[in-house]
């Protein structure tokens, strides 16, 4: 299994390349897709899935182009309603990638379709989460960006985010690696660390939104 963070500093955005036994998943790809295709070719691997953690407002995703050029399937979480061909995952749905698995954990709050992807290694052990804009390092995603959501308010989204963090993410083991979609410099959060990867255990200690006594 190979996991690589492809970080773009000008956008403070992290895309991810996961390869196992000749199969590749890309998470939150940027518009220029050739680097992902070139990397897969160098590994003699085929891009099988393109996972989107949510609809992005701060950059243009390359998911549609990448799917067209590779035949990979675009995956969104529950409640997504894209205008292009994509597979809408169910909460806790499992996807096989070579010798590893990826589980879609629906974590609404930043947006209603926001989804965290849990990577399990070859032994079935929880290895990492790709948390999108749900959990950053030092912060969490903004719940105040709701547009055209009908009766759903930013207060509602904050409540959904609180539940997502406590019911889906915080129960995971402390040694699980956290790979967020953004780092310091992004407008998606105010308190993000300069680091781009951390353990969930450390985030439980220092991230204000993961404190045990938060109501």
């Amino acid at each position: 299994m190979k996991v690589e963070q492809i970080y773009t500093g000008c956008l403070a955005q992290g895309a991810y390349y996961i390869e196992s036994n000749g199969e590749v998943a890309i998470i939150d790809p940027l518009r220029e897709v050739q680097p992902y295709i070139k990397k897969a070719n160098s590994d003699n691997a085929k891009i099988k899935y393109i996972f989107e953690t949510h609809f992005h407002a701060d950059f243009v995703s390359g998911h549609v182009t990448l799917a067209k050029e590779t035949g990979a399937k675009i995956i969104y979480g529950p409640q997504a309603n894209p205008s292009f061909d994509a597979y809408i995952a169910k909460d806790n749905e499992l996807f096989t990638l070579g010798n590893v698995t990826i589980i879609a954990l629906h974590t609404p709050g930043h947006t209603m379709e926001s989804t965290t992807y849990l990577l399990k290694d070859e032994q079935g052990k929880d290895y990492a989460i790709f948390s999108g804009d749900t959990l950053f390092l030092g912060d969490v995603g903004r719940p105040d960006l709701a547009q055209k959501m009908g009766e759903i308010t930013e207060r509602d989204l904050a409540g959904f985010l609180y539940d997502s963090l406590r019911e889906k993410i915080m129960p995971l083991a402390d040694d699980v690696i956290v790979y967020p979609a953004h780092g310091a410099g992004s407008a998606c959060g105010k308190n993000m660390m300069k680091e781009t990867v951390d353990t969930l255990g450390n985030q439980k200690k220092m991230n204000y939104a993961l404190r045990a006594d938060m109501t």
Side-chain angles (χ1 to χ4, degrees):
M1 178 179 69
K2 175 194 295 186
V3 179
E4 183 173 344
Q5 182 183 67
I6 305 170
Y7 199 77
T8 305
C10 61
L11 293 173
Q13 191 268 347
Y16 297 93
Y17 175 96
I18 308 166
E19 187 273 333
S20 175
N21 197 27
E23 294 185 336
V24 171
I26 307 294
I27 297 180
D28 291 337
L30 290 179
R31 181 67 183 88
E32 176 51 59
V33 302
Q34 287 306 313
Y36 312 117
I37 295 173
K38 183 177 179 180
K39 193 177 294 292
N41 288 339
S42 69
D43 286 339
N44 294 314
K46 179 177 175 58
I47 299 177
K48 183 178 182 181
Y49 297 121
I50 304 160
F51 291 103
E52 290 284 337
T53 57
H54 63 297
F55 290 109
H56 306 287
D58 52 341
F59 68 89
V60 177
S61 175
H63 51 356
V64 173
T65 301
L66 189 57
K68 182 178 179 180
E69 295 197 14
T70 66
K73 184 178 294 186
I74 300 171
I75 310 293
Y76 274 94
Q79 300 192 33
N81 186 26
S83 59
F84 45 85
D85 188 31
Y87 180 84
I88 308 305
K90 300 178 180 64
D91 188 24
N92 292 309
E93 187 166 350
L94 185 150
F95 298 86
T96 300
L97 184 79
N99 298 326
V100 303
T101 55
I102 296 173
I103 298 175
L105 304 177
H106 188 210
T107 50
H110 175 66
T111 63
M112 287 307 296
E113 81 285 350
S114 286
T115 297
T116 295
Y117 295 101
L118 171 63
L119 172 63
K120 289 178 173 283
D121 66 16
E122 295 88 345
Q123 286 73 47
K125 182 180 185 297
D126 293 349
Y127 178 79
I129 53 171
F130 301 87
S131 54
D133 284 18
T134 296
L135 175 64
F136 298 128
L137 305 186
D139 206 346
V140 291
R142 295 170 57 180
D144 63 337
L145 300 180
Q147 296 181 13
K148 300 179 182 177
M149 296 292 290
E151 298 299 316
I152 296 177
T153 67
E154 61 188 50
R155 179 176 288 272
D156 293 327
L157 287 174
F160 295 145
L161 182 58
Y162 176 90
D163 291 338
S164 293
L165 292 167
R166 276 157 174 74
E167 295 174 7
K168 298 294 184 67
I169 292 178
M170 291 179 68
L172 298 172
D174 288 353
D175 63 351
V176 167
I177 301 168
V178 179
Y179 289 115
H182 292 290
S186 170
C188 296
K190 295 181 179 180
N191 196 45
M192 286 186 266
M193 299 162 53
K194 66 180 184 299
E195 293 80 8
T196 62
V197 61
D198 198 6
T199 63
L200 183 56
N202 191 52
Q203 287 301 301
K204 289 176 184 178
K205 292 177 183 177
M206 56 77 57
N207 190 318
Y208 72 94
L210 302 187
R211 64 184 188 269
D213 63 348
M214 189 176 188
T215 66

